[in-house]
Amino acid sequence: GTASIDDAYIAFVQLTSTTPATYYVSKAGGASDSNPGTQGSPWLTIAHAISVAVAGDTVYVVAGTYDEHSLTITANGGPTSRIRFVSETKWGAQILPTADVSEGTFGYPGNCIFRIEGDYINVEDFYIAPGAAGLIQIGISIAGSNCIVKGNKVVDINIIGTYVGSGMDVIGYGNVIDSCVILHAGNSALDHGIYQWGGINTMINNLIGYITGFGITTWHAVEGTFMHNNTVFNCGEGGLLVASGESPVTLTDGRISNNIVYGCGTYGIQESSGESTGCLYYNNLGYANATATIFLWSGTQSGTITADPLFVNYQANGSGDYHVSSGSPAINSGYATYAPSY
């Protein structure tokens, strides 16, 4: 006929383009994975929502208890078309697996709640913990890039496991862990609050405490790390560890500022010998850490404060209020250049 290649291409785009959709998951009566996933006729499982959602879609998970795990997200969003999985009420959607989850190689499906393998994925505002008998090594594992994990609360991870585990782990590039609460994780020195084990990633505004290992640690093939405005307390091995442990990778792009590190074993902030170069540490506050506030091999520090941050109600087990009270030396003492916008 007379149709051109351009005509065929336009027809293909029209057939394959989709409008971003909003879906709902609920435990209310009538919810079913055979439903259309609308607010009035929601799906029953988060796993089903993951199997359907594509770039630009948002999935709201209604408050309730979800007995699910190994929720592996493989689809990709885009820079302006993220795939978002959101607890409709902050911490209202509680993912509490009751069956034992088999332990396995660190960071792989089968031993975590969310495994994010796609790019440009958001996971926001969920409450994550083992259920009555659940063995969970990792709350959220991020293996994709440019993902945002924000506002989640993760507790009691790997407290009965034999393999290493963490509240969250992250690899890839451009991922952000923001405003999460991670409490009571681990049963050994190798279990951490956040474990960055590759790439270049950012951890900001998080509250992390009562951890057997480090609050936040970098290791393996980490090239860069950005840790800003985190509050870390009562971590057995130490607060923040900056290192890269796989030759020939050296962590050369580290910016660590405005963190409060309190009551941790060994150092509040620590570099390992020969595994990072040129990292910068600005305006961090440490107090009551067992050995010292900060120990650096090659990094540069300035504005370090060693003083009681004056928490509103410090409790070592994570049940307190870790805002700082009036008169705290942390107030108006931050470093603006690397700080988040809030």
Side-chain angles (χ1 to χ4, degrees), residues 46 61-66 86-95 125-128:
I46 300 168
V61 182
V62 177
T65 300
Y66 296 82
V86 183
S87 172
E88 188 181 41
T89 304
K90 188 177 182 68
W91 301 346
Q94 300 191 353
I95 308 180
D125 292 341
F126 289 90
Y127 181 97
I128 290 174

Side-chain angles (χ1 to χ4, degrees), residues 84-320:
R84 298 178 63 222
F85 298 88
V86 183
S87 172
E88 188 181 41
T89 304
K90 188 177 182 68
W91 301 346
Q94 300 191 353
I95 308 180
L96 309 175
T98 57
D100 284 342
V101 181
S102 299
E103 291 182 297
T105 304
F106 186 74
Y108 283 83
N111 55 13
C112 59
I113 300 291
F114 277 107
R115 167 76 175 179
I116 305 172
E117 296 182 353
D119 300 335
Y120 297 100
I121 305 297
N122 284 31
V123 173
E124 305 174 36
D125 292 341
F126 289 90
Y127 181 97
I128 290 174
L135 172 61
I136 301 295
Q137 282 177 264
I138 305 160
I140 300 175
S141 181
I142 311 167
S145 292
N146 300 303
C147 299
I148 297 173
V149 171
K150 184 175 182 179
N152 302 281
K153 185 172 185 178
V154 179
V155 301
D156 298 337
I157 299 299
N158 208 46
I159 58 174
I160 59 172
T162 55
Y163 286 78
V164 296
S166 293
M168 298 183 186
D169 71 18
V170 59
I171 194 170
Y173 294 84
N175 298 301
V176 178
I177 299 175
D178 181 2
S179 303
C180 292
V181 176
I182 303 173
L183 300 172
H184 194 206
N187 62 89
S188 77
L190 299 177
D191 300 321
H192 313 296
I194 298 176
Y195 192 165
Q196 181 188 345
W197 52 292
I200 302 174
N201 298 287
T202 297
M203 286 73 71
I204 55 175
N205 298 324
N206 300 290
L207 175 67
I208 302 170
Y210 196 16
I211 310 295
T212 54
F214 288 94
I216 303 175
T217 186
T218 70
W219 194 250
H220 298 296
V222 174
E223 300 167 50
T225 189
F226 302 91
M227 306 178 190
H228 307 303
N229 291 47
N230 301 287
T231 298
V232 178
F233 65 91
N234 190 24
C235 297
E237 286 298 296
L240 310 178
L241 175 66
V242 178
S244 186
E246 289 185 0
S247 180
V249 176
T250 299
L251 195 163
T252 58
D253 195 7
R255 303 291 183 268
I256 295 90
S257 68
N258 300 355
N259 301 285
I260 297 175
V261 187
Y262 183 95
C264 294
T266 65
Y267 298 96
I269 299 172
Q270 177 184 356
E271 283 185 334
S272 286
S273 172
E275 292 150 356
S276 62
T277 61
C279 296
L280 303 178
Y281 301 79
Y282 293 107
N283 297 45
N284 297 288
L285 185 154
Y287 190 72
N289 299 294
T291 305
T293 292
I294 189 167
F295 176 80
L296 306 180
W297 282 94
S298 63
T300 300
Q301 65 170 308
S302 66
T304 302
I305 300 170
T306 302
D308 191 336
L310 301 179
F311 293 123
V312 171
N313 176 26
Y314 177 74
Q315 298 292 328
N317 65 1
S319 63

